[in-house]
Amino acid sequence: MQLYIHLPFCKSKCQYCDFNSCANMDEGTVFSYLSALNTEIKLAAEVYGKADIDTVYIGGGTPSLLEPNKIQRICRVLASNFDLSEIREFTIECNPESIDENKLSVYKACGIDRISIGIQSLCDANLKSMGRLHNSKTAIEKLTLARKYYDNVSCDIIVGLPYDTVDIVKNEINTLAPLVRHISVYALTVEEGTPLAKRVEDGRVLLPDEDEVADFLTIAEDELNKHGLKKYEISNFSVEGKESRHNLGYWTDAEYIGIGAGAHSYIKTKDGTQPLNAGIRFAHPKDINAYIAGINCAGSFDNIPRAEMSVLSEKDIFNERIMLGLRTVRGVESELLAGRIPDELKCYFKEENGYISLTKSGMAVMNSILVRIMQF
C-alpha cells in the first residue's frame, strides 16, 4: 500500500495550474489544516495501520513552502501510526525558490530519501509568463544543492510553453540531465478555468502547435537517452533503478490512501490484508475548510466526508489495468490482452517476457488505441 499526503499551500498560483492548491493562506488556517491532517493519519492507521507501506509521497501545492519543523511533525505522526520499516521510497515535492540547505537536511533526517523539484523550464521568459517564482539560475543552483544531500533527485519540465523552441528544449534537457536521476517531461495542458486558458482565449498568449509540441517531446526523449535516462512511462524517464516507485504503483493497480484536502484513495482490501469483493475509489472535499470540519467531526476513518466515491466493478478494474499499464514501457500481462488486439492495430504492440506493451508509435496514439481494446 502507498500513502499520499497533500499539502495544498503555495506562495502563488501558476498560470496553468488546476491542482488543488491555495496561495497565501493565513497561519491560523495552515495550523488548523495540519492538525486535521495529523488527525486523519491517525484515523487511517486505525484501519490500515497493519498494511505493508511501500511508498510515501508528500505532494501539493508546495510542501517545501512550510517550515521544516511542520514537515518533521507530519513524518513523526506517520512513523508513529504506520509501520514504515519496509518502506522503499519516501518523496517530497519542492519548488526551487522555497528550498534551502536546512530544509534538505531536516527532510533527510526525517527519512525522506527522494526529492522532486518543479523546474518546469530553464527559459526565464517562459517561467515569467507562467507565473513561476524562480529563474533558471535558481533552478540549477537548487538542483545542485539537492544533489549534495540526495542521490535520488527528480525534476519536472513542461514543453509547449510560449517561448519554446527546439534549441531551448534541447538545452534544458542537456543542462538538467546530469543533475538528476529522474525527470518527468509533460506537454503543456491548457486547463479550463485557469488564468492561462483565459489568456490563450483572448489571444494574449500564443502557444506552439501540436506538431511542434510532438517534435519537442521527441527531441527531449532523444536527448535524455543520450544521458542514460530511459523512458519507463509515457512522460517519465530515469536512470536504471531510479524509477518512481510511488507513481509506478498508480500505474500497476496498487492500493493507496490519500490524506488531505482533495486527496484520492483506491482500496481493494478491507484493512490492507482482507480482499474486498470490489475496488473502491473515493476523494476528500477539495475545500480546505470543508476538509478540516469533516475531519474534526468524523471520529473514524469511515465517517470522513467524501466528495466522491465509486465502487469499481471487475470490468472497471480491468479497464484501468489496461489503460494505466499501457502507459508504461513494461506494459501489461499478455493474458490480459489475449484476443483483444485487432489485426490492424498489432503493429502498435510488442510482446516480451510475458508482457505486451505499446511501441513508440503506439504510445503516440495511445488514446485512440485504448478506445478499441477496452471493455465497454
Side-chain angles (χ1 to χ4, degrees), residues 217-244:
L217 291 170
T218 298
I219 289 163
E221 180 172 354
D222 291 343
E223 295 303 310
L224 285 166
N225 287 342
K226 293 176 185 177
H227 291 275
L229 283 88
K230 304 297 184 182
K231 176 182 283 190
Y232 69 95
E233 190 269 345
I234 196 165
S235 300
N236 289 273
F237 304 77
S238 75
V239 299
E240 187 174 357
K242 296 300 182 183
E243 300 85 357
S244 169

Side-chain angles (χ1 to χ4, degrees), residues 187-364:
L188 177 67
T189 301
V190 181
E191 300 288 357
E192 185 177 350
T194 62
L196 177 61
K198 177 64 174 173
R199 292 170 67 203
V200 170
E201 182 181 345
D202 293 345
R204 289 177 289 153
V205 171
L206 297 178
L207 299 174
D209 62 33
E210 290 183 3
D211 289 339
E212 289 178 295
V213 174
D215 288 342
F216 296 156
L217 291 170
T218 298
I219 289 163
E221 180 172 354
D222 291 343
E223 295 303 310
L224 285 166
N225 287 342
K226 293 176 185 177
H227 291 275
L229 283 88
K230 304 297 184 182
K231 176 182 283 190
Y232 69 95
E233 190 269 345
I234 196 165
S235 300
N236 289 273
F237 304 77
S238 75
V239 299
E240 187 174 357
K242 296 300 182 183
E243 300 85 357
S244 169
R245 293 185 183 276
H246 188 84
N247 287 339
L248 276 172
Y250 292 145
W251 302 319
T252 55
D253 199 40
E255 290 183 287
Y256 52 89
I257 296 291
I259 307 287
H264 288 249
S265 298
Y266 172 52
I267 301 300
K268 296 184 294 181
T269 53
K270 184 176 181 181
D271 58 2
T273 58
Q274 300 176 32
L276 297 170
N277 292 327
I280 297 174
R281 178 170 285 113
F282 54 88
H284 295 329
K286 291 184 177 181
D287 181 80
I288 289 177
N289 290 318
Y291 166 76
I292 293 170
I295 295 297
N296 289 341
C297 69
S300 71
F301 189 71
D302 290 339
N303 287 334
I304 296 174
R306 314 295 188 196
E308 305 171 29
M309 188 165 185
S310 58
V311 177
L312 304 179
S313 66
E314 288 187 8
K315 181 184 290 187
D316 294 330
I317 293 171
F318 173 86
N319 283 339
E320 290 203 355
R321 288 181 68 185
I322 299 299
M323 178 181 66
L324 296 174
L326 286 179
R327 291 179 59 94
T328 68
V329 170
R330 187 183 189 188
V332 299
E333 296 91 336
S334 298
E335 58 265 26
L336 292 180
L337 290 178
R340 295 186 179 277
I341 304 175
D343 289 341
E344 66 270 22
L345 296 182
K346 288 181 179 178
C347 60
Y348 293 115
F349 291 85
K350 57 185 177 181
E351 185 169 5
E352 186 176 6
N353 298 325
Y355 281 78
I356 292 178
S357 61
L358 290 169
T359 63
K360 188 173 182 178
S361 60
M363 279 199 169

Side-chain angles (χ1 to χ4, degrees), residues 123-234:
C123 169
D124 286 338
N126 276 331
L127 291 169
K128 184 176 181 180
S129 176
M130 294 297 105
R132 299 293 290 176
L133 299 179
H134 66 276
N135 57 28
S136 57
K137 180 175 181 291
T138 299
I140 294 168
E141 288 175 349
K142 295 306 176 69
L143 278 172
T144 303
L145 177 64
R147 283 301 300 270
K148 286 177 57 179
Y149 287 85
Y150 293 91
D151 174 60
N152 200 355
V153 175
S154 175
C155 74
D156 298 351
I157 68 165
I158 299 173
V159 300
L161 296 171
Y163 297 95
D164 272 347
T165 65
V166 167
D167 287 341
I168 283 175
V169 173
K170 187 177 291 188
N171 175 68
E172 287 175 338
I173 296 300
N174 288 317
T175 301
L176 294 171
L179 299 175
V180 299
R181 310 299 296 278
H182 181 283
I183 188 166
S184 301
V185 183
Y186 302 110
L188 177 67
T189 301
V190 181
E191 300 288 357
E192 185 177 350
T194 62
L196 177 61
K198 177 64 174 173
R199 292 170 67 203
V200 170
E201 182 181 345
D202 293 345
R204 289 177 289 153
V205 171
L206 297 178
L207 299 174
D209 62 33
E210 290 183 3
D211 289 339
E212 289 178 295
V213 174
D215 288 342
F216 296 156
L217 291 170
T218 298
I219 289 163
E221 180 172 354
D222 291 343
E223 295 303 310
L224 285 166
N225 287 342
K226 293 176 185 177
H227 291 275
L229 283 88
K230 304 297 184 182
K231 176 182 283 190
Y232 69 95
E233 190 269 345
I234 196 165

